[in-house]
Amino acid sequence: MRKLGEGDRAALERACAPSAVLQSASIRRDFDFMAEGLPVTCFGEFAGGELVGFCSANPICRGVAEISKVAVAEEYRRRGLASGLLTAQAQEAFARGDAVGYYAGSAGDDLDAMLVRLGFRELLSEYRFAPASSPEQWQAWGKPVGGRGR
């Protein structure tokens, strides 16, 4: 596993072609943002020189990185690759002094259990990560986040 760079575009394109899991538009979007120099971090897991897992994160407000996408090709699941990718993203964010959030949407029990094992906890079930110490009321999904309206 390693941090991806612009030189990994061919590996990304090969991985996205045959795999429905890695065909997500957000994978290409996040990779393109990273390649353009935006503050998006992408990590990849390789097997036999081919990309089989991907994880990206981007800043959602000052001091908070949100995991954007984690995906592992079907035949490589249940080997700890997703955990490793999420851990690498978290370590990268922590090294910058950032907090880490992950909106898992309607994830299944397997993903929920993995996130808990990695130290994530649910803050607000309806919203993305919301730092309680934020002096600003910022918006997520068009609704106020923080102490109001809960």
Side-chain angles (χ1 to χ4, degrees), residues 124 127-128 130-132 134 136-138 143-150:
L124 297 170
Y127 303 112
R128 295 175 180 248
S134 176
E136 301 171 5
Q137 288 295 313
W138 49 281
K143 299 178 183 177
V145 176
R148 301 183 302 191
R150 284 177 60 189

Side-chain angles (χ1 to χ4, degrees), residues 6-134:
E6 171 59 33
D8 293 308
R9 184 173 298 280
L12 179 89
E13 292 302 329
R14 285 192 309 272
C16 289
S19 171
V21 172
L22 297 178
Q23 283 182 351
S24 167
S26 64
I27 289 176
R28 283 191 172 102
R29 177 203 65 207
D30 288 352
F31 186 89
D32 288 343
F33 286 161
M34 178 270 309
E36 292 169 14
L38 294 172
V40 175
T41 307
C42 299
F43 278 87
E45 179 68 54
F46 291 82
E50 296 300 316
L51 184 68
V52 298
F54 178 89
C55 186
S56 58
N58 60 315
I60 58 171
C61 66
R62 187 180 332 153
V64 180
E66 180 185 37
I67 303 295
S68 301
K69 183 73 175 180
V70 62
V72 175
E74 185 74 34
E75 60 273 23
Y76 290 92
R77 291 187 181 168
R78 297 243 177 267
R79 299 181 188 186
L81 303 183
S83 292
L85 290 163
L86 286 166
T87 298
Q89 282 290 5
Q91 289 173 342
E92 176 88 6
F94 295 154
R96 291 189 309 268
D98 289 349
V100 178
Y102 182 34
Y103 175 74
S106 58
D109 292 339
D110 288 348
L111 179 58
D112 288 347
M114 178 185 66
L115 292 170
V116 168
R117 280 192 310 275
L118 292 174
F120 285 83
R121 63 183 175 86
E122 186 173 5
L123 295 177
L124 297 170
S125 59
E126 309 89 46
Y127 303 112
R128 295 175 180 248
F129 179 87
S133 61
S134 176

